[in-house]
Amino acid sequence: MKLDTVDKVPIDLIWNISLVCPWDCNFCCTDAVHVRSVEGGKIELRERGLDSRVIINTAPEIGSHLKDEGFRLNRYDYALIDRQRRGLELSYLEKRKVLENIQGSPVEIEFAGGDPLVCYENYLVIKYATELFGKDKISVTSTGATINRYDLFELANYVGQFEFTFDEVDEETQVRPKSYNRSNLRIAERMAAIGVRTKAQIPLHKGNMEQKKIRILLEELKGAGVVDILLMRVFPVGRAIGRQDKWSVSSLELRTAIGHYIDMSKRLGGVRIRLQCALRYLFPNGMNENPCDAIKSSFGINWKGQLLLSAWANSNEDGVLDDVFILGDLCTQTLSEIRTSPAVIRSEKQLEKNFGHCKVFSFLYSKKVGWDAIFDKADPLYVNDEEDNK
């Protein structure tokens, strides 16, 4: 991209600011670190696909910059501090530096995780982001686990949009911990009631593709005042690596389910259905522009501050699927510098090679390696369809 145009193209940045999380969903796309209290007043961190366990103590002397704010630390704060000490997550000042290195570019930032709001430090980072970019440019994807530690009216001053996952009926849960969806919906309802834009994310899987379940989900979302609904694809990345077969659904199943969601939304009224880029190519008729927005208008930032080609390029080893997804380091480089770097320019030139295909799925299923795999026509959702249409 030319230097004189790079800072005129608006982009979305999905920043998985921390892996710390209160939930142990078995298909987490970022391999979040499950944190819980255990016997003896200790805290357990389950990392690397939940297989690695770290036990820490709560220590009153750590986290002084947080205590200066007059806030009582919880187990998630201590977990974050421990991971920072082990060099696994950015410090508070490094997170602020990432934001400063983004300045000057027209961006919208979505803070995700893990769960960003379980750690008070991330709340301070979000406040700083609002100072730099304005509330309307900031969204937060969080859960209902510990958000009650904040004053929601104050939080609303810094969050333009609150996003959450709501993808199952608790009574018939298949893939989520008990109360996960219900607690998310409760907090979203409270946010909507005080005027915050809310958006529900529904990853499509076998637990939410039947018409009966679709009706219940949409009725509950509408009743909670949630208008915008994003249908998403389940990515076999992060903690879900190696479990592709368990979550995979065919293109026909997805088309049928999406049709049901759209039909039901029209019957109910008051809710809007949108499709994530990784699903739009299921309906290719008349499509002239590549629905994949990687590089063109979307990037990921991981918990190490690295700018990624996709926010879903996550492994189950506390890192990325492959180093070829890393475009630069926002701790030491500005966004403008990275977007004019050879790595980004090289990517831009190959975007149309696998028109419509998801770059992450292509990489995972391609027989090629590295860059060639990312831009291969190997997304299983579309390979068979394209072969049938030849």
Side-chain angles (χ1 to χ4, degrees), residues 354-371:
N354 55 349
F355 185 101
H357 290 234
C358 172
K359 302 297 185 284
V360 172
F361 273 89
S362 293
F363 176 85
L364 290 170
Y365 285 88
S366 176
K367 295 179 181 179
K368 301 177 181 179
V369 296
W371 285 94

Side-chain angles (χ1 to χ4, degrees), residues 154-175:
E154 181 180 355
L155 180 63
N157 290 326
Y158 311 115
V159 176
Q161 180 166 266
F162 180 80
E163 303 188 31
F164 66 103
T165 299
F166 186 68
D167 64 343
E168 281 189 315
V169 180
D170 272 353
E171 292 75 14
E172 302 177 25
T173 185
Q174 294 182 26
V175 302

Side-chain angles (χ1 to χ4, degrees), residues 35-88:
V35 176
R36 63 181 178 181
S37 298
V38 293
E39 291 183 6
K42 298 181 183 297
I43 301 168
E44 180 188 67
L45 284 67
R46 299 166 70 202
E47 303 172 333
R48 297 178 179 269
L50 303 180
D51 292 330
S52 175
R53 286 171 167 76
V54 176
I55 303 295
I56 64 172
N57 292 296
T58 58
E61 73 276 6
I62 62 177
S64 60
H65 76 280
L66 296 175
K67 293 197 170 186
D68 288 344
E69 297 285 335
F71 214 88
R72 182 179 179 181
L73 304 187
N74 63 19
R75 57 183 175 271
Y76 307 109
D77 297 317
Y78 286 118
L80 176 60
I81 293 167
D82 174 75
R83 284 177 55 80
Q84 289 170 328
R85 287 185 166 184
R86 288 186 281 142
L88 297 177

Side-chain angles (χ1 to χ4, degrees), residues 144 164-166 180-190 217 220-221 224 226:
F164 66 103
T165 299
F166 186 68
Y180 171 87
N181 280 285
R182 186 60 50 199
S183 64
N184 289 356
L185 186 63
R186 281 198 299 267
I187 199 65
E189 183 173 18
R190 291 174 62 192
L217 288 174
E220 295 211 23
L221 287 168
V226 178

Side-chain angles (χ1 to χ4, degrees), residues 95-298:
K95 293 171 188 175
R96 286 175 63 100
K97 185 62 177 177
V98 167
L99 290 173
E100 290 162 2
N101 280 336
I102 293 171
Q103 272 190 293
S105 296
V107 299
E108 294 187 2
I109 305 173
E110 176 187 331
F111 288 94
D115 186 340
L117 287 177
V118 296
C119 299
Y120 184 64
E121 175 178 292
N122 294 330
Y123 176 62
L124 300 180
V125 176
I126 291 167
K127 288 175 64 175
Y128 186 51
T130 299
E131 292 176 19
L132 296 180
F133 302 98
K135 184 179 81 168
D136 290 343
K137 303 297 182 182
I138 304 300
S139 67
V140 176
T141 299
S142 190
T143 73
T146 65
I147 203 169
N148 58 354
R149 72 189 304 204
Y150 307 104
D151 181 293
L152 292 191
F153 286 96
E154 181 180 355
L155 180 63
N157 290 326
Y158 311 115
V159 176
Q161 180 166 266
F162 180 80
E163 303 188 31
F164 66 103
T165 299
F166 186 68
D167 64 343
E168 281 189 315
V169 180
D170 272 353
E171 292 75 14
E172 302 177 25
T173 185
Q174 294 182 26
V175 302
R176 299 291 186 185
K178 187 177 180 180
S179 80
Y180 171 87
N181 280 285
R182 186 60 50 199
S183 64
N184 289 356
L185 186 63
R186 281 198 299 267
I187 199 65
E189 183 173 18
R190 291 174 62 192
M191 296 294 279
I194 62 175
V196 178
R197 297 196 319 272
T198 54
K199 182 168 74 176
Q201 301 175 354
I202 304 181
L204 294 173
H205 52 72
K206 295 185 184 297
N208 58 34
M209 297 174 71
E210 298 175 7
Q211 284 182 284
K212 176 184 176 182
K213 294 179 180 179
I214 292 171
R215 177 181 56 79
I216 295 173
L217 288 174
L218 294 188
E219 285 179 343
E220 295 211 23
L221 287 168
K222 180 182 178 181
V226 178
V227 173
D228 290 308
I229 298 167
L230 180 67
L231 300 184
M232 305 175 68
R233 195 171 173 184
V234 174
F235 284 74
V237 298
R239 199 182 292 161
I241 286 178
R243 299 170 175 167
Q244 289 93 324
D245 292 340
K246 185 173 183 179
W247 311 120
S248 63
V249 290
S250 68
S251 58
L252 177 59
E253 288 175 309
L254 284 171
R255 286 194 195 96
T256 301
I258 290 170
H260 291 328
Y261 272 95
I262 293 173
D263 289 343
M264 186 60 66
S265 69
K266 291 178 179 177
R267 288 186 212 170
L268 294 176
V271 292
R272 293 191 293 266
I273 301 292
R274 292 174 47 231
L275 300 184
Q276 184 189 34
C277 59
L279 291 174
R280 294 174 200 156
Y281 197 46
L282 285 171
F283 309 94
N285 291 340
M287 183 176 289
N288 297 316
E289 183 177 351
N290 193 340
C292 177
D293 56 11
I295 296 291
K296 291 190 305 181
S297 60
S298 178

